[in-house]
Structures are given as structure tokens and as C-alpha cells.
Amino acid sequence: MCGIIGISAEANVAGDIYDALLMLQHRGQDSAGMVVCDAEGKLNSRKSIGYVRDVFVQRHMDKLVGNYGVGHVRYPTAGGAGKEFAQPMYVNSPYGISLAHNGNLTNSESLANELFHAEMRHLNTDSDSEVLLNIFAHELGKQREIYPEARHIFKAIKKTHRRCDGAYAVIGLITGFGLVAFRDPNGIRPLIIGIRKGKTRDEYMIASENAAFTSLGFETLRDIEPGEAIFIDNNGTLFTQQCAETYQQRPCIFEYVYFSRPDSTLDQISVYKSRMRMGKKLANKITKIRPDHDIDVVIPIPDSSTTAALQLADELKIPYREGFVKNRYIGRTFIMPHQEERKKSVRRKLNILDLEFKNKNVLLVDDSIVRGTTSRKIIEMAKEAGAKKVYFASAAPAVKYQNLYGIDMPATKELIASNKTDEEVCQEIGADWLIYQDLEDLIVSVQEGNPSIKEFECSVFTGEYITHLNEGYLENLENTRDDDSKIVRIEASQNTS
Ligand code: AMP
């Protein structure tokens, strides 16, 4: 998963990009980067492994001079975790293009072959973002325009859409000419544009989530439509065009379940309100199947489940209590490909408040269950703290399939629910009762915010993928996403970074 930012303003933008990246830090903590372009058309950039606050220090910020630029935070879903994968990525020709990408291409291998064998382009990594950058650069270069205008850029994006399969929300900087942004024809990953009044012109900010706008004085203008492209030239003039031949709105539903900040509104749907509705639906399901339940207290697993848990408790008219205190400063101190390390990390991250559990029937609420490591450990902790019974509710349905569109999910075989019934999962995590949200209810919870969206990208729950997949793609991905292959990749990147 990644977070992307682009700003075009009257004065230097590096400070604003930095602040915006901090607002999107939850979308990626492996690396951060920024490229800005100054009045002479010189690029100034900095990117490295680590958190935003560690990658940029004052001496870097002093050199990041320029009134338009692009920023990125990364959590790897495709490719390795080394320094060379940090974004924005850059190609020299044509013009010098820097690109920040959120999502995942599902045909990057065949595109990489075409780039290398037919288009004489060198790729330095196995990152799909580098492939996407080179496809766009190649299509733009083919037009042989010394001074590209919006129509040339849009034509290149049209061709990029034709060639690329998968999910991509993109912000790019074309050196000396302006900022470009586009979203894949299904609008799987979010991308939104905001506006701020400058002294002489409107200033624009494009971001993965609009939570990044408010504190910087930007107002939400609108979501970028699936397939649509935006170009903001050097003078701050905004151009836009639909560049996909066919398009439909199918945003990723997991953004609302887990990824996005509650203070973001994506595709006109408030993440916070959608999580409240998830809590309400879950409460309805509980009262329907167990009208005489004996739950004494509702306890969220912080942080992403708190909104749903609060609403759930409200609906059930049962006390909501904080039973866990999260250590906010633990961070990602090391990468954890091993299951044993993951188990220990749950205890390090969450401390339990025994008094909320002793002699009570507790309902623990989480946004989702993926491997089951968190839920198993937490149920064990709740029982040790003296809970009589531990029930577990998930605001999302059972996660059964791998994600192909930019969310870091384990291989299918490592998902606890992939080949188990709800009862078997319940037994394995050690709960006395397990309640999953129904998919229909999840969809309604999100859709209520914008009924014009008819379908969502729900493949982690259904296994139905909405883009074309080459033969063997799923099997291949399964083998590169299991713990063993992650360990090999991490070791390789540690040797190179
Ligand atoms: P697990 O222990 O694997 O079942 O993880 C479940 C927890 O991870 C839940 O508390 C979620 O908040 C969180 N989660 C869900 N999806 C992801 C993801 N793709 N990456 C990291 N954490 C996630």
C-alpha cells in the first residue's frame, strides 16, 4: 500500500508535501520520497528507507526548492523492500518524468518484456511502478513533441490505460511542464484533488486521501474519476479529460474497512460514517442470531475498529470500554516475516487493562481477521485477564483470497479463513463465539454514503477479480507472497540497501 501527494503552488511546496506525507504515513512506512521542480526546471529530490520524519531532515528540506512536486510513502506489495524501490521513480526521457504510484499492475511482467525487447527501455527493479512509469514515458515520447501540451499528455495516458491492467492511482511530475495525475479505469485506489486560493492563482493538491488537505488550507474540489486524467501546467492552469475507453467506478472496499483514515472522504463516502454503519449492521446481526446474548462489555482492538465498535455498543446498549492500550511509539522497528515474531509483536503493541475483563463476557471487535495472529493472541490475553467468555466480532467478512490491487495481504494459504468454515476459524482463534459481518451488509454500509456507486472491488472476500489476469498469474503470486519468499526478498534487499 502507498500514499501519494502532488502539489502545484505559487511558492515552495516541499514543506506542504512533507506535512501531507505525515498525514498519509499510515499508508506506507517502508520508504518516503519527494521530488520538486524549481523555476529553472531543476529537479530537487530526496528519498530513502524509513518514516517521513527520518527520511527528511532540515538539511534536505532546505535544498528541496520548487513550486510543484510529488511525494510518496511506500509499503511494498510488489517488488522488494530496498532503497531502489523508494518513490518517486525517475526516467530521464522524455523531459524527465518522476512518478508516484499507489496500486499494483497485474500484467507488469509482460509489459516489462515489451519495454525491454521492443521499446529499448531498461528497468532496474522488478517494481510494477517502474514499469508503469516507463510505459507512460514511452507513450509520451512517441509523440515527439518538444513542448508537450495537455492533449499530448492525455493521449499518452489513453495509451497507458490500454496497455496496463490492474490498479493504479498515479501522480507524476513532467520536468519544466507541470503535474499530471490519473486513476485506473475502475478507480480501485483513491485519488482526490483539492484547491487553495493563492495570491495570483489557484493552487492544487492531489492526494490519496483528503484528510491531508484541511490542515494545509486546501478544500476538497472532487475525486478524480476512474480513467480520468488531470494536468496542471506551470502557470497553474488545470486541464482534465476522460482518457479511458470504458470505465466504471469500483473502489476498493478495504479502504473503508481498514486502510484509510476515518477523517477522509473517498469517492464522496465518509470513511468514519461507513465504519459507524458497519458497527450498526454488526449489532443488528448479533441481535438477530442471539437476541438473548449475555455480552457484558464491548471492547475494540485499537485503532481501526474503534468507530465500528463504539456504534455497535451503542446499538446493543452495552457499555463500551477500552480494554487495550496501544503503544503508539513502537512503530515498525523491524520487518516481521516470521509468524513467531508477529505473535510477540501483538503483545508488545497492546497492553491489557485486566479490570475490564475480569469475570465478564466480553465482545472484542476488530476491523478484520487476516492471518488470525492478532485475534488468537488477544483472545488468549483476554482469558488470562480473567474474562469468563470471549466473543469476537469482525467488521469485515472473512478474508479468504489474496489481494492483487495494492494491498499487502499474505498468500491465500496463510489466510486463516481461506479454507475453513466460520466455526473452524472460531475454534482456531480460541473464541467462544465468532461473528463476521455479512458481505452484503458491508457493501450497504459503504454504499449508503454514495448510492451512485453500484459495485465495489471486494475480491479479498469473494475471489472475483475485476481486471484481466494472464494465465498463471494467481498461482505465481501465491508463491511469491508466502512467508518463505518474503524472507528471501528481505534478505536480498538488505544486501543491496
Ligand atoms: P491478523 O493478525 O493477520 O489476523 O491481522 C488482523 C489485524 O491486522 C487487524 O487488526 C487489522 O486491523 C489489521 N490488518 C488488516 N489488513 C491488513 C493489512 N493488509 N496489513 C496490515 N494489517 C492489516
Side-chain angles (χ1 to χ4, degrees):
M1 202 65 179
C2 300
I4 57 177
I5 295 285
I7 302 184
S8 167
E10 290 173 325
N12 282 348
V13 292
D16 280 356
I17 293 180
Y18 177 89
D19 287 344
L21 287 177
L22 283 179
M23 297 293 279
L24 297 188
Q25 184 78 84
H26 61 288
R27 296 183 73 87
Q29 293 118 38
D30 271 21
S31 69
M34 172 187 333
V35 175
V36 294
C37 185
D38 71 15
E40 274 77 52
K42 182 178 176 292
L43 290 183
N44 299 302
S45 68
R46 161 80 186 156
K47 58 179 181 174
S48 192
I49 301 293
Y51 282 94
V52 174
R53 61 162 191 261
D54 302 323
V55 168
F56 303 99
V57 296
Q58 195 57 49
R59 70 173 193 281
H60 303 124
M61 296 304 290
D62 291 343
K63 289 182 188 155
L64 288 166
V65 176
N67 73 318
Y68 59 104
V70 175
H72 190 269
V73 284
R74 176 170 192 261
Y75 187 80
T77 42
K83 207 170 169 175
E84 68 275 27
F85 293 92
Q87 297 190 32
M89 286 186 170
Y90 173 77
V91 280
N92 159 285
S93 175
Y95 320 113
I97 302 176
S98 308
L99 191 119
H101 167 216
N102 174 207
N104 183 45
L105 297 190
T106 50
N107 62 339
S108 64
E109 219 172 290
S110 55
L111 290 174
N113 270 328
E114 289 170 27
L115 283 166
F116 186 72
H117 294 291
E119 292 162 2
M120 292 175 288
R121 282 190 168 261
H122 166 74
L123 298 172
N124 213 37
T125 66
D126 62 355
S127 155
D128 62 321
S129 307
E130 194 184 3
V131 169
L132 180 59
L133 165 61
N134 277 277
I135 293 283
F136 173 60
H138 179 76
E139 295 300 341
L140 190 55
K142 264 194 340 198
Q143 299 182 56
R144 311 203 66 77
E145 290 292 335
I146 302 288
Y147 299 100
E149 293 170 15
R151 62 198 165 100
H152 305 117
I153 292 160
F154 293 151
K155 192 168 168 193
I157 293 170
K158 237 179 228 174
K159 299 236 171 120
T160 304
H161 282 326
R162 260 185 230 155
R163 296 181 66 180
C164 294
D165 294 329
Y168 46 97
V170 174
I171 307 177
L173 186 158
I174 305 178
T175 312
F177 294 100
L179 280 189
V180 61
F182 53 98
R183 203 171 168 195
D184 70 69
N186 291 295
I188 297 175
R189 300 260 73 86
L191 199 60
I192 188 157
I193 180 161
I195 187 165
R196 182 172 72 183
K197 288 272 166 231
K199 287 194 186 89
T200 58
R201 51 161 277 206
D202 286 335
E203 301 182 317
Y204 295 101
M205 172 164 169
I206 304 160
S208 301
E209 294 184 38
N210 66 349
F213 290 171
T214 335
S215 60
L216 297 172
F218 285 87
E219 268 173 43
T220 299
L221 195 56
R222 63 182 181 83
D223 297 280
I224 295 178
E225 296 294 316
E228 189 190 11
I230 296 247
F231 176 60
I232 304 159
D233 74 10
N234 265 345
N235 306 317
T237 310
L238 181 119
F239 302 85
T240 164
Q241 191 176 305
Q242 175 53 253
C243 291
E245 278 146 16
T246 55
Y247 54 93
Q248 53 194 330
Q249 205 167 15
R250 281 178 164 186
C252 168
I253 207 155
F254 218 73
E255 290 277 352
Y256 299 92
V257 169
Y258 170 72
F259 267 105
S260 293
R261 293 173 56 115
D263 49 344
S264 286
T265 298
L266 309 175
D267 288 313
Q268 297 175 50
I269 302 169
S270 151
V271 174
Y272 180 72
K273 284 192 198 164
S274 74
R275 288 183 186 162
M276 284 175 78
R277 292 189 288 264
M278 288 174 212
K280 187 172 174 180
K281 292 275 179 207
L282 211 41
N284 292 346
K285 182 170 177 182
I286 289 172
T287 19
K288 197 167 147 202
I289 38 183
R290 286 204 188 171
D292 46 2
H293 65 76
D294 56 357
I295 304 166
D296 296 317
V297 62
V298 172
I299 295 180
I301 297 168
D303 282 328
S304 39
S305 73
T306 50
T307 313
L310 190 55
Q311 191 62 27
L312 187 156
D314 211 46
E315 292 290 325
L316 292 181
K317 300 194 173 32
I318 288 174
Y320 168 94
R321 292 284 184 268
E322 288 180 42
F324 298 98
V325 179
K326 192 171 176 176
N327 181 353
R328 291 177 199 291
Y329 306 101
I330 191 159
R332 280 173 57 84
T333 44
F334 52 89
I335 304 165
M336 292 178 293
H338 297 278
Q339 185 62 1
E340 274 314 305
E341 289 167 355
R342 281 193 205 103
K343 279 192 208 157
K344 278 190 218 151
S345 121
V346 176
R347 259 199 199 275
R348 274 196 287 259
K349 255 192 219 160
L350 293 174
N351 254 0
I352 196 159
L353 287 163
D354 288 13
L355 77 158
E356 294 297 357
F357 293 84
K358 213 165 186 55
N359 297 322
K360 290 182 189 166
N361 297 328
V362 299
L363 175 67
L364 301 179
V365 183
D366 206 350
D367 60 88
S368 57
I369 303 172
V370 182
R371 281 188 170 89
T373 320
T374 312
S375 35
R376 199 179 300 127
K377 196 77 215 165
I378 273 181
I379 290 167
E380 191 185 300
M381 285 159 73
K383 292 203 162 158
E384 278 170 21
K388 276 197 291 186
K389 285 191 184 145
V390 183
Y391 308 133
F392 200 96
S394 162
V399 174
K400 286 179 180 278
Y401 303 92
Q402 57 187 328
N403 183 277
L404 314 184
Y405 301 124
I407 293 183
D408 180 52
M409 281 278 175
T412 305
K413 61 174 184 250
E414 289 165 0
L415 298 169
I416 189 169
S418 71
N419 54 5
K420 291 189 188 68
T421 62
D422 293 0
E423 290 69 32
E424 286 167 338
V425 174
C426 178
Q427 216 172 31
E428 196 160 324
I429 63 175
D432 294 295
W433 183 32
L434 169 65
I435 317 110
Y436 276 118
Q437 183 89 266
D438 291 334
L439 180 58
E440 221 171 89
D441 284 344
L442 172 64
I443 293 173
V444 171
S445 304
V446 181
Q447 196 180 30
E448 207 176 302
N450 181 358
S452 74
I453 300 180
K454 300 295 173 220
E455 281 179 83
F456 290 84
E457 198 295 295
C458 296
S459 56
V460 293
F461 309 119
T462 61
E464 289 159 20
Y465 299 102
I466 60 174
T467 61
H468 168 77
L469 297 180
N470 289 336
E471 216 184 302
Y473 179 79
L474 280 177
E475 295 70 26
N476 194 17
L477 196 71
E478 182 71 12
N479 295 331
T480 58
R481 282 207 173 158
D482 61 11
D483 278 354
D484 292 343
S485 42
K486 272 187 188 154
I487 292 162
V488 171
R489 283 216 310 271
I490 287 162
E491 281 169 0
S493 67
Q494 280 167 348
N495 290 336
T496 58
S497 58

Short mmCIF file of all heavy atoms in Angstrom, two decimals, residues 22-67:
data_model
loop_
_atom_site.label_atom_id
_atom_site.label_comp_id
_atom_site.label_asym_id
_atom_site.label_seq_id
_atom_site.Cartn_x
_atom_site.Cartn_y
_atom_site.Cartn_z
N LEU A 22 3.15 13.15 6.12
CA LEU A 22 2.93 12.73 7.50
C LEU A 22 1.48 12.29 7.71
O LEU A 22 1.20 11.34 8.43
CB LEU A 22 3.24 13.87 8.47
CG LEU A 22 4.71 14.16 8.76
CD1 LEU A 22 4.82 15.34 9.73
CD2 LEU A 22 5.41 12.95 9.36
N MET A 23 0.56 13.02 7.05
CA MET A 23 -0.87 12.67 7.17
C MET A 23 -1.17 11.32 6.49
O MET A 23 -2.19 10.70 6.78
CB MET A 23 -1.75 13.74 6.52
CG MET A 23 -1.67 15.10 7.17
SD MET A 23 -2.37 15.09 8.83
CE MET A 23 -4.10 15.24 8.47
N LEU A 24 -0.33 10.93 5.56
CA LEU A 24 -0.55 9.65 4.84
C LEU A 24 0.41 8.56 5.30
O LEU A 24 0.49 7.50 4.67
CB LEU A 24 -0.39 9.85 3.33
CG LEU A 24 -1.36 10.80 2.63
CD1 LEU A 24 -1.18 10.72 1.12
CD2 LEU A 24 -2.81 10.48 2.98
N GLN A 25 1.11 8.81 6.40
CA GLN A 25 2.12 7.84 6.85
C GLN A 25 1.53 6.45 7.09
O GLN A 25 2.21 5.43 6.88
CB GLN A 25 2.78 8.36 8.14
CG GLN A 25 3.91 7.52 8.67
CD GLN A 25 5.23 7.69 7.93
OE1 GLN A 25 5.99 8.59 8.19
NE2 GLN A 25 5.49 6.79 7.00
N HIS A 26 0.26 6.39 7.50
CA HIS A 26 -0.37 5.08 7.75
C HIS A 26 -0.43 4.23 6.48
O HIS A 26 -0.57 3.02 6.57
CB HIS A 26 -1.80 5.27 8.29
CG HIS A 26 -2.69 6.00 7.33
ND1 HIS A 26 -2.57 7.35 7.08
CD2 HIS A 26 -3.68 5.58 6.52
CE1 HIS A 26 -3.47 7.72 6.17
NE2 HIS A 26 -4.15 6.66 5.81
N ARG A 27 -0.31 4.85 5.29
CA ARG A 27 -0.41 4.09 4.04
C ARG A 27 0.91 3.43 3.64
O ARG A 27 0.94 2.65 2.68
CB ARG A 27 -0.92 4.98 2.90
CG ARG A 27 -2.32 5.51 3.14
CD ARG A 27 -2.81 6.32 1.97
NE ARG A 27 -3.15 5.52 0.82
CZ ARG A 27 -4.34 4.95 0.60
NH1 ARG A 27 -5.32 5.14 1.45
NH2 ARG A 27 -4.55 4.23 -0.47
N GLY A 28 1.99 3.77 4.34
CA GLY A 28 3.26 3.14 3.99
C GLY A 28 4.37 3.65 4.88
O GLY A 28 4.53 4.86 5.04
N GLN A 29 5.12 2.72 5.47
CA GLN A 29 6.16 3.13 6.41
C GLN A 29 7.54 2.60 6.04
O GLN A 29 8.48 2.72 6.80
CB GLN A 29 5.80 2.64 7.82
CG GLN A 29 4.58 3.31 8.39
CD GLN A 29 3.46 2.33 8.67
OE1 GLN A 29 3.72 1.21 9.10
NE2 GLN A 29 2.24 2.71 8.41
N ASP A 30 7.67 2.01 4.86
CA ASP A 30 8.97 1.46 4.49
C ASP A 30 9.91 2.50 3.91
O ASP A 30 11.10 2.50 4.18
CB ASP A 30 8.80 0.32 3.49
CG ASP A 30 8.63 -1.00 4.21
OD1 ASP A 30 8.25 -0.95 5.39
OD2 ASP A 30 8.90 -2.05 3.61
N SER A 31 9.34 3.36 3.06
CA SER A 31 10.19 4.40 2.49
C SER A 31 9.36 5.64 2.22
O SER A 31 8.13 5.58 2.21
CB SER A 31 10.85 3.91 1.19
OG SER A 31 9.87 3.77 0.18
N ALA A 32 10.06 6.76 2.04
CA ALA A 32 9.37 8.01 1.73
C ALA A 32 10.23 8.77 0.74
O ALA A 32 11.46 8.59 0.68
CB ALA A 32 9.16 8.84 2.99
N GLY A 33 9.59 9.62 -0.06
CA GLY A 33 10.36 10.39 -1.03
C GLY A 33 9.60 11.58 -1.56
O GLY A 33 8.38 11.66 -1.43
N MET A 34 10.35 12.51 -2.15
CA MET A 34 9.75 13.71 -2.71
C MET A 34 10.65 14.24 -3.83
O MET A 34 11.87 14.17 -3.74
CB MET A 34 9.64 14.73 -1.56
CG MET A 34 9.22 16.08 -1.99
SD MET A 34 9.27 17.39 -0.72
CE MET A 34 9.07 16.71 0.87
N VAL A 35 9.99 14.76 -4.88
CA VAL A 35 10.71 15.45 -5.95
C VAL A 35 10.00 16.77 -6.17
O VAL A 35 8.77 16.80 -6.27
CB VAL A 35 10.66 14.66 -7.27
CG1 VAL A 35 11.32 15.45 -8.40
CG2 VAL A 35 11.36 13.34 -7.14
N VAL A 36 10.76 17.88 -6.23
CA VAL A 36 10.16 19.18 -6.56
C VAL A 36 10.93 19.79 -7.73
O VAL A 36 12.10 19.46 -7.96
CB VAL A 36 10.15 20.15 -5.35
CG1 VAL A 36 9.26 19.64 -4.25
CG2 VAL A 36 11.56 20.38 -4.82
N CYS A 37 10.25 20.68 -8.46
CA CYS A 37 10.90 21.30 -9.62
C CYS A 37 10.95 22.81 -9.41
O CYS A 37 9.93 23.42 -9.07
CB CYS A 37 10.08 20.96 -10.87
SG CYS A 37 10.85 21.54 -12.38
N ASP A 38 12.13 23.41 -9.59
CA ASP A 38 12.24 24.85 -9.35
C ASP A 38 12.02 25.66 -10.63
O ASP A 38 11.80 25.09 -11.71
CB ASP A 38 13.57 25.19 -8.66
CG ASP A 38 14.78 25.05 -9.57
OD1 ASP A 38 14.59 24.95 -10.80
OD2 ASP A 38 15.91 25.03 -9.05
N ALA A 39 12.10 26.98 -10.52
CA ALA A 39 11.75 27.87 -11.63
C ALA A 39 12.66 27.67 -12.85
O ALA A 39 12.26 27.93 -13.99
CB ALA A 39 11.80 29.32 -11.17
N GLU A 40 13.88 27.20 -12.61
CA GLU A 40 14.81 26.96 -13.74
C GLU A 40 14.61 25.58 -14.36
O GLU A 40 15.35 25.18 -15.26
CB GLU A 40 16.26 27.09 -13.28
CG GLU A 40 16.82 28.50 -13.29
CD GLU A 40 16.30 29.29 -12.09
OE1 GLU A 40 16.43 28.78 -10.97
OE2 GLU A 40 15.75 30.38 -12.31
N GLY A 41 13.65 24.84 -13.86
CA GLY A 41 13.43 23.49 -14.38
C GLY A 41 14.41 22.48 -13.80
O GLY A 41 14.61 21.41 -14.37
N LYS A 42 14.99 22.80 -12.64
CA LYS A 42 15.90 21.84 -12.00
C LYS A 42 15.12 21.01 -10.98
O LYS A 42 14.32 21.55 -10.22
CB LYS A 42 17.03 22.59 -11.30
CG LYS A 42 18.04 21.66 -10.64
CD LYS A 42 19.17 22.44 -10.00
CE LYS A 42 20.12 21.53 -9.27
NZ LYS A 42 19.56 20.90 -8.08
N LEU A 43 15.38 19.72 -10.99
CA LEU A 43 14.71 18.85 -10.03
C LEU A 43 15.51 18.75 -8.75
O LEU A 43 16.74 18.61 -8.80
CB LEU A 43 14.57 17.44 -10.60
CG LEU A 43 13.60 17.21 -11.75
CD1 LEU A 43 13.58 15.73 -12.12
CD2 LEU A 43 12.21 17.69 -11.40
N ASN A 44 14.83 18.80 -7.63
CA ASN A 44 15.47 18.58 -6.33
C ASN A 44 14.73 17.44 -5.66
O ASN A 44 13.49 17.47 -5.60
CB ASN A 44 15.38 19.85 -5.48
CG ASN A 44 16.11 21.00 -6.16
OD1 ASN A 44 17.30 20.92 -6.44
ND2 ASN A 44 15.38 22.07 -6.46
N SER A 45 15.47 16.45 -5.19
CA SER A 45 14.76 15.27 -4.67
C SER A 45 15.47 14.65 -3.47
O SER A 45 16.67 14.87 -3.24
CB SER A 45 14.63 14.23 -5.77
OG SER A 45 15.90 13.71 -6.08
N ARG A 46 14.69 13.87 -2.74
CA ARG A 46 15.23 13.11 -1.62
C ARG A 46 14.32 11.91 -1.39
O ARG A 46 13.09 12.06 -1.33
CB ARG A 46 15.25 14.01 -0.37
CG ARG A 46 15.35 13.29 0.95
CD ARG A 46 16.76 12.87 1.27
NE ARG A 46 16.80 12.06 2.47
CZ ARG A 46 17.77 11.18 2.75
NH1 ARG A 46 18.79 11.02 1.94
NH2 ARG A 46 17.73 10.48 3.86
N LYS A 47 14.88 10.73 -1.31
CA LYS A 47 14.08 9.56 -0.95
C LYS A 47 14.97 8.54 -0.25
O LYS A 47 16.17 8.46 -0.54
CB LYS A 47 13.38 8.95 -2.16
CG LYS A 47 14.27 8.50 -3.30
CD LYS A 47 13.43 7.89 -4.42
CE LYS A 47 14.32 7.43 -5.55
NZ LYS A 47 13.58 6.73 -6.59
N SER A 48 14.36 7.81 0.67
CA SER A 48 15.13 6.79 1.38
C SER A 48 14.20 5.86 2.14
O SER A 48 13.00 6.06 2.18
CB SER A 48 16.11 7.47 2.36
OG SER A 48 17.02 6.51 2.84
N ILE A 49 14.81 4.86 2.75
CA ILE A 49 14.07 3.92 3.59
C ILE A 49 13.72 4.61 4.91
O ILE A 49 14.54 5.35 5.44
CB ILE A 49 14.98 2.70 3.90
CG1 ILE A 49 15.42 2.00 2.63
CG2 ILE A 49 14.33 1.72 4.86
CD1 ILE A 49 14.33 1.35 1.87
N GLY A 50 12.54 4.35 5.44
CA GLY A 50 12.20 4.87 6.77
C GLY A 50 10.94 5.71 6.77
O GLY A 50 10.28 5.90 5.76
N TYR A 51 10.63 6.19 7.97
CA TYR A 51 9.46 7.06 8.16
C TYR A 51 9.75 8.44 7.55
O TYR A 51 10.92 8.84 7.42
CB TYR A 51 9.23 7.27 9.65
CG TYR A 51 8.56 6.12 10.35
CD1 TYR A 51 9.30 5.14 10.99
CD2 TYR A 51 7.18 6.03 10.40
CE1 TYR A 51 8.68 4.09 11.65
CE2 TYR A 51 6.54 5.00 11.05
CZ TYR A 51 7.30 4.02 11.67
OH TYR A 51 6.69 2.99 12.32
N VAL A 52 8.67 9.18 7.28
CA VAL A 52 8.80 10.53 6.71
C VAL A 52 9.74 11.38 7.57
O VAL A 52 10.66 12.02 7.07
CB VAL A 52 7.41 11.20 6.61
CG1 VAL A 52 7.51 12.64 6.16
CG2 VAL A 52 6.50 10.39 5.67
N ARG A 53 9.52 11.34 8.88
CA ARG A 53 10.31 12.22 9.76
C ARG A 53 11.80 11.83 9.80
O ARG A 53 12.65 12.65 10.15
CB ARG A 53 9.73 12.24 11.18
CG ARG A 53 9.73 10.92 11.85
CD ARG A 53 9.57 11.00 13.36
NE ARG A 53 9.85 9.68 13.88
CZ ARG A 53 8.92 8.79 14.21
NH1 ARG A 53 7.65 9.09 14.12
NH2 ARG A 53 9.25 7.59 14.65
N ASP A 54 12.10 10.59 9.45
CA ASP A 54 13.51 10.17 9.43
C ASP A 54 14.16 10.41 8.08
O ASP A 54 15.37 10.66 8.00
CB ASP A 54 13.62 8.68 9.77
CG ASP A 54 13.01 8.37 11.13
OD1 ASP A 54 13.16 9.21 12.03
OD2 ASP A 54 12.38 7.31 11.26
N VAL A 55 13.36 10.33 7.02
CA VAL A 55 13.93 10.48 5.67
C VAL A 55 14.29 11.95 5.39
O VAL A 55 15.31 12.23 4.77
CB VAL A 55 12.92 9.95 4.62
CG1 VAL A 55 13.34 10.34 3.21
CG2 VAL A 55 12.80 8.43 4.73
N PHE A 56 13.44 12.87 5.87
CA PHE A 56 13.69 14.29 5.58
C PHE A 56 14.13 15.01 6.86
O PHE A 56 13.36 15.06 7.82
CB PHE A 56 12.41 14.98 5.07
CG PHE A 56 11.83 14.32 3.85
CD1 PHE A 56 10.78 13.43 3.96
CD2 PHE A 56 12.34 14.60 2.59
CE1 PHE A 56 10.23 12.83 2.84
CE2 PHE A 56 11.80 13.99 1.46
CZ PHE A 56 10.75 13.11 1.58
N VAL A 57 15.34 15.55 6.85
CA VAL A 57 15.75 16.41 7.97
C VAL A 57 15.97 17.80 7.39
O VAL A 57 15.91 18.00 6.17
CB VAL A 57 17.00 15.87 8.70
CG1 VAL A 57 16.70 14.53 9.35
CG2 VAL A 57 18.18 15.74 7.76
N GLN A 58 16.26 18.77 8.25
CA GLN A 58 16.28 20.17 7.80
C GLN A 58 17.20 20.39 6.59
O GLN A 58 16.85 21.10 5.65
CB GLN A 58 16.70 21.08 8.97
CG GLN A 58 16.41 22.55 8.71
CD GLN A 58 14.94 22.84 8.39
OE1 GLN A 58 14.04 22.39 9.11
NE2 GLN A 58 14.68 23.54 7.29
N ARG A 59 18.37 19.74 6.61
CA ARG A 59 19.30 19.99 5.50
C ARG A 59 18.74 19.51 4.17
O ARG A 59 19.04 20.07 3.12
CB ARG A 59 20.69 19.42 5.80
CG ARG A 59 20.79 17.94 5.80
CD ARG A 59 22.25 17.46 5.92
NE ARG A 59 22.35 16.05 5.61
CZ ARG A 59 22.01 15.09 6.48
NH1 ARG A 59 21.58 15.38 7.69
NH2 ARG A 59 22.12 13.82 6.13
N HIS A 60 17.90 18.46 4.21
CA HIS A 60 17.26 18.03 2.96
C HIS A 60 16.19 19.03 2.56
O HIS A 60 16.09 19.43 1.40
CB HIS A 60 16.59 16.66 3.11
CG HIS A 60 17.51 15.58 3.57
ND1 HIS A 60 17.28 14.82 4.68
CD2 HIS A 60 18.69 15.15 3.04
CE1 HIS A 60 18.26 13.96 4.85
NE2 HIS A 60 19.13 14.14 3.86
N MET A 61 15.40 19.44 3.55
CA MET A 61 14.27 20.35 3.25
C MET A 61 14.79 21.66 2.66
O MET A 61 14.18 22.23 1.76
CB MET A 61 13.44 20.62 4.51
CG MET A 61 12.75 19.40 5.09
SD MET A 61 11.67 18.54 3.93
CE MET A 61 10.34 19.71 3.74
N ASP A 62 15.93 22.13 3.17
CA ASP A 62 16.49 23.41 2.67
C ASP A 62 16.78 23.34 1.18
O ASP A 62 16.72 24.35 0.48
CB ASP A 62 17.79 23.74 3.41
CG ASP A 62 17.52 24.10 4.87
OD1 ASP A 62 16.34 24.38 5.18
OD2 ASP A 62 18.46 24.05 5.68
N LYS A 63 17.13 22.14 0.71
CA LYS A 63 17.50 22.00 -0.70
C LYS A 63 16.31 21.69 -1.60
O LYS A 63 16.43 21.72 -2.83
CB LYS A 63 18.53 20.88 -0.85
CG LYS A 63 19.88 21.27 -0.28
CD LYS A 63 20.86 20.14 -0.50
CE LYS A 63 22.14 20.42 0.25
NZ LYS A 63 22.86 19.21 0.57
N LEU A 64 15.18 21.36 -0.99
CA LEU A 64 14.02 20.96 -1.80
C LEU A 64 13.24 22.21 -2.24
O LEU A 64 12.15 22.50 -1.76
CB LEU A 64 13.13 20.00 -1.02
CG LEU A 64 13.73 18.59 -0.86
CD1 LEU A 64 13.00 17.78 0.19
CD2 LEU A 64 13.72 17.84 -2.20
N VAL A 65 13.83 22.93 -3.17
CA VAL A 65 13.24 24.19 -3.64
C VAL A 65 12.46 23.91 -4.92
O VAL A 65 12.97 23.28 -5.85
CB VAL A 65 14.37 25.22 -3.92
CG1 VAL A 65 13.78 26.50 -4.50
CG2 VAL A 65 15.13 25.50 -2.64
N GLY A 66 11.23 24.40 -4.97
CA GLY A 66 10.43 24.22 -6.17
C GLY A 66 8.96 24.45 -5.87
O GLY A 66 8.52 24.20 -4.74
N ASN A 67 8.20 24.95 -6.85
CA ASN A 67 6.80 25.28 -6.56
C ASN A 67 5.83 24.22 -7.07
O ASN A 67 4.62 24.41 -7.00
CB ASN A 67 6.43 26.67 -7.10
CG ASN A 67 6.31 26.66 -8.60
OD1 ASN A 67 7.12 26.05 -9.28
ND2 ASN A 67 5.28 27.31 -9.13
#
